Amino acid sequence: IGPLTNLAELAVRFPELKDKCRIVWLGGSIYQGYLNQTAATNDFNTAQDPAALDVLLQSGFKLVLAPLDVCRDFVIEGDNFAALKASLNPYAQNALAFYREWHGRYHGGAIKYDPDTASGILYDLVPFVYLTDETLFLKKSLSIVCDKNGYTRIDPAGFPVDSLMRIDKDAALSVVTRVFTA
């Protein structure tokens, strides 16, 4: 859920692990960028260390991308949000506090949601939801390259990556609510 610097180092130092590991990563932008952007962009995680993604792409490690395309509008609202706010689960309270702080301090172009009625965009939860229940996602195998500016592009000469393209949002929100209110 951040730049891939440490995982690129892992791939270089321990190439024998490539058949034993799967890396699920929040990063990339295939067809759409951040919310309200209709074209792909260089997302934050990739742009911080595009060389690291390039190392991983070439490493042979199985890589699953959770790109902006699938993360960009993952917001908890309504009854699910009310359940999270009321939950005594410390993980739920920490997650909500983190997003309140992030939205309060972030000065970029992110959509801001009312912290009394919505979570804000929960980019970071999408990979965890995938690891909890892969059936909630439409996954597509793509050949990906990464340029020096952190743009991920489909390229026939690229490297095979499983990219999450769509999420069953209602079912995913139910999973998150269930986990965080337990």
Side-chain angles (χ1 to χ4, degrees), residues 26-73:
L26 167 63
S29 171
I30 307 302
Y31 299 109
Q32 298 177 316
Y34 291 97
L35 197 60
N36 294 333
Q37 292 179 338
T38 57
T41 189
N42 60 341
D43 71 286
F44 178 84
N45 290 345
T46 309
Q48 294 306 298
D49 192 352
L53 176 54
D54 197 45
V55 166
L56 271 176
L57 289 170
Q58 295 180 52
S59 72
F61 276 73
K62 182 172 176 65
L63 185 59
V64 178
L65 290 182
L68 291 176
D69 307 66
V70 74
C71 299
R72 70 193 221 139
D73 65 352

Coordinates of all heavy atoms in Angstrom, one line a residue, residues 26-73:
L26 N -1.3 -1.9 -4.1 CA -2.1 -0.8 -4.4 C -1.2 0.2 -5.2 O -0.3 0.8 -4.7 CB -2.6 -0.1 -3.2 CG -3.2 1.3 -3.3 CD1 -4.4 1.3 -4.2 CD2 -3.5 1.9 -2.0
G27 N -1.4 0.2 -6.5 CA -0.6 1.1 -7.4 C -1.0 0.9 -8.8 O -1.7 0.0 -9.2
G28 N -0.6 1.9 -9.6 CA -0.9 1.9 -11.0 C -2.2 2.5 -11.4 O -3.0 2.9 -10.5
S29 N -2.3 2.8 -12.7 CA -3.5 3.4 -13.2 C -3.6 2.9 -14.7 O -2.7 3.2 -15.4 CB -3.4 4.9 -13.1 OG -4.4 5.6 -13.8
I30 N -4.6 2.1 -15.0 CA -4.7 1.5 -16.3 C -5.5 2.3 -17.3 O -5.0 2.7 -18.3 CB -5.2 0.1 -16.2 CG1 -4.5 -0.8 -15.1 CG2 -5.2 -0.6 -17.5 CD1 -3.0 -0.9 -15.4
Y31 N -6.7 2.6 -17.0 CA -7.6 3.3 -17.9 C -8.1 4.6 -17.3 O -8.4 5.6 -18.0 CB -8.8 2.5 -18.2 CG -8.5 1.2 -19.0 CD1 -8.6 0.0 -18.3 CD2 -8.0 1.2 -20.3 CE1 -8.3 -1.2 -19.0 CE2 -7.7 0.0 -20.9 CZ -7.9 -1.2 -20.3 OH -7.6 -2.3 -20.9
Q32 N -8.2 4.7 -16.0 CA -8.7 5.9 -15.3 C -7.8 6.3 -14.1 O -7.1 5.4 -13.5 CB -10.1 5.6 -14.7 CG -11.1 5.2 -15.7 CD -12.4 4.9 -15.0 OE1 -12.5 4.2 -14.0 NE2 -13.5 5.4 -15.6
G33 N -7.7 7.6 -13.9 CA -6.9 8.1 -12.8 C -7.7 8.2 -11.5 O -8.7 7.5 -11.2
Y34 N -7.3 9.2 -10.7 CA -8.1 9.5 -9.5 C -9.5 9.9 -9.9 O -9.8 10.2 -11.0 CB -7.4 10.6 -8.7 CG -6.0 10.2 -8.2 CD1 -4.8 10.5 -8.9 CD2 -5.9 9.5 -7.0 CE1 -3.6 10.1 -8.4 CE2 -4.7 9.1 -6.5 CZ -3.6 9.4 -7.2 OH -2.4 8.9 -6.7
L35 N -10.4 9.9 -8.8 CA -11.8 10.2 -9.0 C -11.9 11.5 -9.8 O -11.2 12.4 -9.6 CB -12.4 10.3 -7.7 CG -14.0 10.3 -7.7 CD1 -14.5 8.9 -8.2 CD2 -14.5 10.5 -6.3
N36 N -12.8 11.4 -10.8 CA -13.0 12.5 -11.7 C -12.0 12.7 -12.8 O -12.1 13.6 -13.7 CB -13.2 13.9 -11.0 CG -14.5 13.9 -10.2 OD1 -15.4 13.2 -10.4 ND2 -14.5 14.7 -9.1
Q37 N -11.0 11.8 -12.9 CA -10.1 11.8 -14.0 C -10.5 10.7 -14.9 O -10.5 9.5 -14.5 CB -8.6 11.6 -13.5 CG -8.1 12.7 -12.7 CD -6.7 12.5 -12.2 OE1 -6.2 11.4 -12.1 NE2 -6.0 13.6 -11.9
T38 N -10.7 11.0 -16.2 CA -11.1 10.0 -17.1 C -10.0 9.3 -17.9 O -10.2 8.4 -18.7 CB -12.1 10.6 -18.1 OG1 -11.5 11.7 -18.8 CG2 -13.4 11.1 -17.4
A39 N -8.8 9.7 -17.6 CA -7.6 9.1 -18.3 C -6.6 8.6 -17.2 O -6.7 9.0 -16.1 CB -6.9 10.1 -19.2
A40 N -5.8 7.6 -17.6 CA -4.8 7.1 -16.7 C -3.9 8.2 -16.3 O -3.6 9.2 -17.0 CB -4.0 5.9 -17.4
T41 N -3.3 8.0 -15.1 CA -2.3 9.0 -14.6 C -1.2 8.2 -13.8 O -1.2 7.0 -13.7 CB -3.0 10.0 -13.6 OG1 -2.1 11.0 -13.3 CG2 -3.5 9.3 -12.3
N42 N -0.2 8.9 -13.4 CA 0.8 8.3 -12.6 C 0.4 8.5 -11.1 O 0.3 9.5 -10.6 CB 2.2 8.9 -12.8 CG 2.3 10.4 -12.5 OD1 1.3 11.1 -12.4 ND2 3.5 10.9 -12.3
D43 N 0.0 7.3 -10.5 CA -0.4 7.4 -9.1 C 0.7 7.6 -8.2 O 1.9 7.5 -8.5 CB -1.1 6.1 -8.8 CG -0.1 4.9 -8.7 OD1 0.4 4.5 -9.7 OD2 0.1 4.5 -7.5
F44 N 0.4 8.0 -7.0 CA 1.4 8.4 -6.0 C 2.4 7.3 -5.7 O 3.6 7.5 -5.7 CB 0.7 8.8 -4.7 CG 1.7 9.2 -3.6 CD1 2.2 10.4 -3.5 CD2 2.1 8.2 -2.6 CE1 3.2 10.7 -2.5 CE2 3.0 8.5 -1.6 CZ 3.5 9.8 -1.6
N45 N 1.9 6.0 -5.4 CA 2.8 4.9 -5.0 C 3.8 4.6 -6.1 O 4.9 4.3 -5.8 CB 1.9 3.7 -4.7 CG 1.2 3.9 -3.4 OD1 1.5 4.8 -2.6 ND2 0.2 3.0 -3.1
T46 N 3.3 4.6 -7.4 CA 4.2 4.3 -8.5 C 5.2 5.4 -8.7 O 6.4 5.2 -8.9 CB 3.5 4.0 -9.8 OG1 2.4 3.1 -9.5 CG2 4.4 3.5 -10.9
A47 N 4.7 6.7 -8.7 CA 5.6 7.8 -9.0 C 6.7 8.0 -8.0 O 7.7 8.6 -8.3 CB 4.7 9.1 -9.1
Q48 N 6.5 7.5 -6.7 CA 7.5 7.7 -5.7 C 8.8 6.8 -6.0 O 9.9 7.2 -5.6 CB 7.0 7.3 -4.3 CG 5.9 8.2 -3.8 CD 6.4 9.6 -3.9 OE1 7.3 10.0 -3.2 NE2 5.7 10.4 -4.6
D49 N 8.6 5.7 -6.7 CA 9.8 4.9 -7.1 C 9.4 4.0 -8.3 O 9.2 2.8 -8.1 CB 10.2 4.0 -5.9 CG 11.5 3.3 -6.0 OD1 12.1 3.4 -7.1 OD2 12.0 2.7 -5.1
P50 N 9.3 4.6 -9.5 CA 9.0 3.8 -10.7 C 10.0 2.8 -11.0 O 9.7 1.7 -11.5 CB 8.9 4.9 -11.8 CG 9.5 6.1 -11.2 CD 9.5 6.0 -9.8
A51 N 11.3 3.0 -10.6 CA 12.3 2.0 -10.9 C 12.0 0.7 -10.1 O 12.3 -0.4 -10.6 CB 13.7 2.5 -10.5
A52 N 11.5 0.8 -8.9 CA 11.1 -0.4 -8.1 C 10.1 -1.2 -8.8 O 10.2 -2.4 -8.8 CB 10.7 0.1 -6.7
L53 N 9.0 -0.6 -9.3 CA 8.0 -1.3 -10.1 C 8.7 -2.0 -11.3 O 8.4 -3.2 -11.5 CB 6.9 -0.5 -10.5 CG 5.8 -1.2 -11.3 CD1 5.2 -2.4 -10.7 CD2 4.7 -0.2 -11.7
D54 N 9.5 -1.3 -11.9 CA 10.2 -1.9 -13.1 C 11.0 -3.2 -12.7 O 11.0 -4.2 -13.4 CB 11.1 -0.9 -13.8 CG 11.5 -1.3 -15.2 OD1 10.6 -1.7 -15.9 OD2 12.7 -1.2 -15.5
V55 N 11.7 -3.1 -11.6 CA 12.5 -4.2 -11.1 C 11.5 -5.4 -10.8 O 11.8 -6.6 -11.2 CB 13.2 -3.9 -9.8 CG1 13.7 -5.1 -9.0 CG2 14.4 -3.0 -10.1
L56 N 10.4 -5.1 -10.1 CA 9.4 -6.2 -9.8 C 8.8 -6.8 -11.1 O 8.6 -8.0 -11.2 CB 8.3 -5.7 -8.9 CG 8.6 -5.8 -7.4 CD1 7.5 -5.2 -6.6 CD2 8.8 -7.3 -7.0
L57 N 8.5 -5.9 -12.0 CA 7.9 -6.4 -13.3 C 8.9 -7.4 -14.0 O 8.4 -8.4 -14.5 CB 7.6 -5.3 -14.2 CG 6.4 -4.4 -13.8 CD1 6.3 -3.2 -14.7 CD2 5.1 -5.2 -13.9
Q58 N 10.1 -7.1 -13.9 CA 11.1 -8.0 -14.6 C 11.6 -9.2 -13.8 O 12.2 -10.1 -14.3 CB 12.4 -7.1 -14.9 CG 12.1 -6.1 -16.0 CD 13.3 -5.2 -16.3 OE1 14.4 -5.8 -16.6 NE2 13.2 -3.9 -16.2
S59 N 11.2 -9.2 -12.5 CA 11.7 -10.2 -11.5 C 11.1 -11.6 -11.7 O 11.6 -12.6 -11.2 CB 11.4 -9.7 -10.1 OG 10.0 -9.8 -9.8
G60 N 9.9 -11.7 -12.3 CA 9.2 -13.0 -12.3 C 8.3 -13.2 -11.1 O 7.6 -14.2 -11.1
F61 N 8.3 -12.3 -10.1 CA 7.3 -12.5 -9.0 C 5.9 -12.2 -9.6 O 5.7 -11.4 -10.4 CB 7.6 -11.4 -7.9 CG 8.7 -11.9 -7.0 CD1 10.0 -11.9 -7.3 CD2 8.4 -12.2 -5.7 CE1 11.0 -12.3 -6.5 CE2 9.4 -12.6 -4.8 CZ 10.7 -12.6 -5.2
K62 N 5.0 -13.0 -9.1 CA 3.6 -12.8 -9.4 C 3.1 -11.5 -8.8 O 3.2 -11.3 -7.6 CB 2.7 -13.9 -9.0 CG 1.3 -13.8 -9.4 CD 0.5 -15.1 -9.1 CE -1.0 -14.9 -9.4 NZ -1.3 -14.7 -10.7
L63 N 2.6 -10.6 -9.6 CA 2.2 -9.3 -9.2 C 0.7 -9.1 -9.5 O 0.3 -9.3 -10.6 CB 3.0 -8.2 -9.8 CG 2.8 -6.8 -9.4 CD1 3.1 -6.6 -7.9 CD2 3.8 -5.8 -10.2
V64 N -0.1 -8.7 -8.5 CA -1.5 -8.3 -8.6 C -1.6 -6.8 -8.3 O -1.3 -6.4 -7.2 CB -2.4 -9.1 -7.7 CG1 -3.8 -8.7 -7.8 CG2 -2.2 -10.6 -7.9
L65 N -2.0 -6.1 -9.3 CA -2.2 -4.6 -9.1 C -3.6 -4.3 -8.7 O -4.6 -4.8 -9.3 CB -2.0 -3.9 -10.5 CG -0.6 -3.8 -11.1 CD1 -0.7 -2.9 -12.3 CD2 0.4 -3.2 -10.1
A66 N -3.7 -3.5 -7.7 CA -5.0 -2.9 -7.4 C -4.9 -1.4 -7.8 O -4.5 -0.6 -7.0 CB -5.3 -3.0 -5.9
P67 N -5.2 -1.1 -9.1 CA -4.9 0.2 -9.6 C -6.0 1.2 -9.2 O -7.0 0.9 -8.6 CB -4.9 0.0 -11.1 CG -5.9 -1.1 -11.3 CD -5.7 -2.0 -10.1
L68 N -5.8 2.5 -9.5 CA -6.8 3.5 -9.2 C -8.1 3.2 -9.8 O -9.1 3.5 -9.3 CB -6.3 4.9 -9.8 CG -5.1 5.5 -9.0 CD1 -4.7 6.8 -9.7 CD2 -5.4 5.7 -7.6
D69 N -8.1 2.5 -11.0 CA -9.3 2.1 -11.7 C -10.3 1.5 -10.7 O -11.5 1.7 -10.8 CB -9.1 1.2 -12.8 CG -8.0 1.7 -13.7 OD1 -6.8 1.8 -13.3 OD2 -8.3 2.0 -14.9
V70 N -9.9 0.7 -9.8 CA -10.7 -0.1 -8.9 C -10.8 0.5 -7.5 O -11.7 0.3 -6.7 CB -10.3 -1.6 -8.8 CG1 -9.1 -1.8 -8.0 CG2 -11.4 -2.5 -8.3
C71 N -9.8 1.3 -7.1 CA -9.8 1.9 -5.8 C -10.4 3.3 -5.7 O -10.7 3.8 -4.6 CB -8.3 2.0 -5.3 SG -7.4 0.5 -5.2
R72 N -10.5 4.0 -6.8 CA -10.8 5.4 -6.8 C -12.1 5.9 -6.2 O -12.3 7.0 -5.9 CB -10.6 6.0 -8.2 CG -11.7 5.5 -9.1 CD -11.3 5.8 -10.6 NE -12.5 6.3 -11.3 CZ -12.5 7.3 -12.1 NH1 -11.4 7.9 -12.4 NH2 -13.6 7.7 -12.7
D73 N -13.1 5.0 -6.1 CA -14.3 5.4 -5.5 C -14.8 4.5 -4.4 O -16.0 4.3 -4.2 CB -15.4 5.6 -6.6 CG -15.8 4.3 -7.3 OD1 -15.1 3.3 -7.1 OD2 -16.7 4.3 -8.1

